Amino acid sequence: MSTNYPHLFSPLRIGNVTLKNRIATAPMGSEPNTSGFLSEQNLAAFENRAKGGAAIVTRGETLVHAHTGSAHGNLCNLDNEGFMPSHLQLTDRIHQHNALANIEILHSGARAHPQYTNGIIYGPSAQPGVYGVDVTPMDEDIMNEIADAFAHGAYVAKFGGFDMVMIHGGHGWLLSEFLSPLYNTRTDKYGGSIENRARFPLMVIDRIRKAVGPNFPIEIRISGDEFMEGGYGIEDAIEFAKMLDGKVDLIHVSATSFRDVNSGCRMFPSAFLPHGVNVYLAEAIKKHVKTPIATVGALSDPAEMEDIIASGKADVIYVGRQILADPEFPNKAKAGRFDEVRPCVRCNHCLSLDFVPYVDMCSGISQCVVNPEAGRDLKEGMYQPKPQPKKVLVIGGGPGGMQAALKAEEQGHEVILVEKADRLGGMLNVAVHDVSFKEDLGSYLQYLIRMVERKAIQVRLNTTATPELIREIAPDTVVCAVGAEPIIPRIPGVDRENVVKVTQLRDPDLKFGEKVVVIGGGLVGCEEGLALAMEGKDVTVLEMQDKLAPDAPILHLKAMMLEYEKRTENLHPYTEVTVTSIEDDGVHAKDKDGKEVIYPADTVLLSVGMRSKIDEVEKLRTNDAEFITVGDCIKPGKILQAVSGGYFAGKYA
């Protein structure tokens, strides 16, 4: 047993298998690839999670009844034997690293897409469908057909080498629809009381048990609370869990239902919610059952996980986004190297790419803002000979520059990093400040700085890069990551003393007035407006377009708008507004109807975008060394582009 977090890294017996520790990788969609079939890239990603030390590696979202249950075209169908070869390969890859292979099986119910179901959508009761086709209530014949399909799917999974199966009974998929009074308004034996609403889910479990035998572990994923008026809450979840006791081997407690358009903000807890916000649901259920309980939701600190296990709140911790950010998280935590874990920033970019129907289609790829290897596991895991050592000069100590320096050093190069400011971080130093939803981003910044300081990287702060300095250092490669500068709109009054650029936000001498107008409602402007409102300022956010923060990941945007709704007294967003001038009495503008409006302001914050420092880049460009540009100095973007660009600049320097 490890001396670091002894409870977290203790074994647990469930059914006929033993977990080597209490960390499991959460099902994260269908591991996008546009076909549902597992590609070599998918297999490599799962293998990395097993190699990273998790006890259970879970394959997510697999269908049991394709012609009635498909929600999008990116799902694996367990009733298609063509999937078997890749699943046998998957379980083999996982087993090679002493981990257990798990698979999530489901039916989409009322959330199925008519494009894939011949226009018929089944659910517990008649109601409007998600995609414009009304739900057809299930009769007992179709119930039996789908229950048998669940059983067959579990049997196929067992045949494919999986060590256990996870039934999805939460989040608004079919089985949870039967449990929910919002979906299930039946008056027969399948509706009304929780005992009746649970009848079909229990039928499914009984069929699965008969198909896989007494010793094959069955896990069920449930929502501990729908958090919706008229839906089922923790008391119903407790009663259902009591019925599950002795029928399943692990009860996995999540939260919410897709019926709520903002459900993803709690299902995958956003940066605006505390870490472990859903743990109390698992804790409440555990008091009433003997079956081991799993919890999930923004858990990334092994000390917090240790406390959850040690205090008896749960028996297993499911981890999703943090494993995507750093698959080695379990091994690093066990070895006492948690400070080397690349932290998840909970931006929800990874999930937003495929969050149908809120995005038009599944992207078919996996991406992580902080982990450039995510989605490239196969290529990055291949043997690649080390390049000939070079001298690499990195100009700019923002996230792109630091990532470039780290990768170049890893490749065996001599690395010099110059930064004109007195500290590393670049624009992250502006983005990170003392509000709760920026804590994870702050952790990531400190991680990058810590890693740079530990490596053989020569860091020169307070150093401005010049052609003369480049000639003096005489590098083989220059990685230019000088960032961008704020766009200053041609607005009369923009040069007034009370007008602040977004890059000046963390100036220690900066004092905001009580009334603040933010010009620009993109992601940065919206977040800074929210932060100022949380500090007690009266904030108005003005955006020219018809939507706020169209550049934000959809799940992050939804979560942020919920925070806006909480602060209507002192946070006022307006769209389709054109600013005409900044005067003594505030910001003058025209609304979408051309009406002139004055927004009183003590302080005006400019956040209308950034532009690349093209002139500065060209002054530094040299023919004496390979010259690579990274991040915002190519095109202003997000951290994802900067970090990914820096990674490959360092790799191929």
Side-chain angles (χ1 to χ4, degrees), residues 32 74 324 347-369 374-375 552-556 640-641:
N74 200 32
L324 190 64
C347 63
N348 277 337
H349 176 86
C350 53
L351 295 162
S352 295
L353 289 169
D354 295 306
F355 209 67
V356 177
Y358 306 113
V359 296
D360 291 337
M361 63 188 76
C362 290
S363 69
I365 61 171
S366 294
Q367 287 185 331
C368 174
V369 164
I554 185 64
L555 287 173
H556 184 73
L640 170 72
Q641 287 80 22

Side-chain angles (χ1 to χ4, degrees), residues 265-496:
C265 305
R266 181 88 183 223
M267 191 183 299
F268 323 109
S270 73
F272 303 98
L273 294 172
H275 289 267
V277 67
N278 296 325
V279 171
Y280 80 96
L281 298 171
E283 181 182 13
I285 290 172
K286 185 170 170 58
K287 294 176 181 177
H288 297 272
V289 297
K290 296 179 181 179
T291 304
I293 298 293
T295 188
V296 67
L299 291 164
S300 59
D301 183 350
E304 182 179 10
M305 296 179 183
E306 172 74 8
D307 178 70
I308 290 169
I309 304 298
S311 61
K313 296 175 183 176
D315 303 287
V316 176
I317 310 288
Y318 269 90
V319 183
R321 292 168 292 172
Q322 180 55 67
I323 292 287
L324 190 64
D326 193 339
E328 283 284 321
F329 164 73
N331 284 342
K332 290 177 179 178
K334 183 178 181 180
R337 297 163 43 221
F338 178 61
D339 63 348
E340 297 179 15
V341 171
R342 183 188 300 106
C344 168
V345 297
R346 291 200 286 165
C347 63
N348 277 337
H349 176 86
C350 53
L351 295 162
S352 295
L353 289 169
D354 295 306
F355 209 67
V356 177
Y358 306 113
V359 296
D360 291 337
M361 63 188 76
C362 290
S363 69
I365 61 171
S366 294
Q367 287 185 331
C368 174
V369 164
V370 300
N371 180 9
E373 294 184 0
R376 304 182 176 103
D377 306 73
L378 177 63
K379 182 181 178 183
E380 296 306 300
M382 291 179 174
Y383 171 74
Q384 299 169 4
K386 290 283 187 179
Q388 289 294 317
K390 297 178 183 178
K391 182 185 287 187
V392 178
L393 171 63
V394 179
I395 303 173
M402 285 191 282
Q403 182 63 76
L406 288 167
K407 190 61 183 178
E409 192 272 346
E410 181 186 308
Q411 294 290 89
H413 301 311
E414 177 188 353
V415 182
I416 301 166
L417 171 61
V418 300
E419 166 57 48
K420 66 180 179 180
D422 60 358
R423 57 179 174 167
L424 296 171
M427 280 298 293
L428 283 184
N429 287 320
V430 176
V432 173
H433 51 107
D434 192 23
V435 290
S436 58
F437 69 90
K438 292 290 188 178
E439 286 179 3
D440 295 318
L441 192 61
S443 297
Y444 176 61
L445 170 59
Q446 294 307 313
Y447 159 81
L448 283 176
I449 294 172
R450 192 161 58 245
M451 292 298 100
V452 168
E453 291 175 343
R454 291 182 181 181
K455 302 298 182 180
I457 298 170
Q458 183 185 145
V459 179
R460 301 184 187 180
L461 301 176
N462 300 301
T463 302
T464 300
T466 63
E468 293 76 22
L469 180 65
I470 295 173
R471 285 194 293 271
E472 176 189 328
I473 294 173
D476 299 294
T477 301
V478 175
V479 178
C480 186
V482 296
E485 58 190 3
I487 295 171
I488 308 301
R490 295 179 180 178
I491 299 172
V494 74
D495 56 351
R496 297 175 68 91

